[in-house]
């Protein structure tokens, strides 16, 4: 099946196809700051989702504090939907990502990590791209 929306007459790349037996079992909505999502992200792309936890005093480390390490909370999740720039409220974009059964089983951990700071998405490129 096709893994993204197509326009009439549009050509397909092999990366646009996926097996009908896709193992996705859940969809997770993410509210991502606009500067933390690739501008040309499309349905079917794969992303890693990272969080940089905020310090209790606010974003970023305070003077004299060690830097806060980013944490990857999801690896290579497929984008199910992405709001176009300017269609979300505020300075953010809404993403919907598919979760595999394994990822869905640790949803409580994922949501806990996401609550510590804003998510950052990093596109995962196929070898040779």
């Amino acid at each position: 099946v096709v893994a993204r929306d197509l326009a009439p007459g549009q050509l397909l790349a092999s990366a646009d196809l996926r097996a009908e037996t896709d193992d996705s079992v859940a969809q997770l909505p993410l509210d991502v700051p606009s500067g933390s999502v690739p501008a040309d992200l499309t349905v079917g792309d794969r992303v890693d989702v990272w969080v940089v936890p905020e310090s209790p005093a606010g974003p970023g480390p305070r003077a004299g504090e060690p830097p806060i390490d980013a944490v990857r909370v999801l690896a290579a999740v497929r984008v199910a939907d992405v709001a176009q720039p300017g269609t979300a409220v505020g300075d953010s974009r809404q993403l919907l990502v598919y979760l595999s059964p394994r990822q869905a089983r640790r949803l409580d951990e994922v949501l806990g990590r996401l609550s510590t700071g804003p998510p950052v998405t990093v596109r995962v490129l196929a070898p040779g791209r």
Side-chain angles (χ1 to χ4, degrees):
V1 295
V2 178
R4 64 179 181 87
D5 293 334
L6 296 174
Q10 184 176 1
L11 296 176
L12 279 178
S14 61
D16 296 332
L17 302 174
R18 65 172 171 81
E20 193 168 5
T21 59
D22 188 358
D23 66 349
S24 300
V25 296
Q27 295 179 340
L28 176 66
L30 299 170
D31 192 31
V32 183
S34 292
S36 297
V37 60
D40 61 344
L41 192 69
T42 61
V43 171
D45 284 350
R46 293 209 177 255
V47 295
D48 287 346
V49 179
W50 292 78
V51 171
V52 179
E54 294 179 347
S55 74
R62 296 174 68 180
E65 289 183 355
I68 301 169
D69 291 335
V71 177
R72 185 172 61 181
V73 295
L74 291 168
V77 291
R78 191 164 43 88
V79 175
D81 195 21
V82 57
Q84 295 307 309
T87 59
V89 176
D91 188 31
S92 65
R93 290 181 66 190
Q94 180 81 25
L95 297 184
L96 188 63
V97 296
Y98 290 111
L99 300 181
S100 70
R102 187 177 123 284
Q103 292 164 329
R105 281 192 296 277
R106 41 180 288 272
L107 188 56
D108 57 340
E109 175 191 343
V110 169
L111 293 174
R113 293 282 187 166
L114 288 169
S115 71
T116 65
V120 174
T121 57
V122 177
R123 184 186 345 251
V124 178
L125 299 176
R129 268 183 78 185

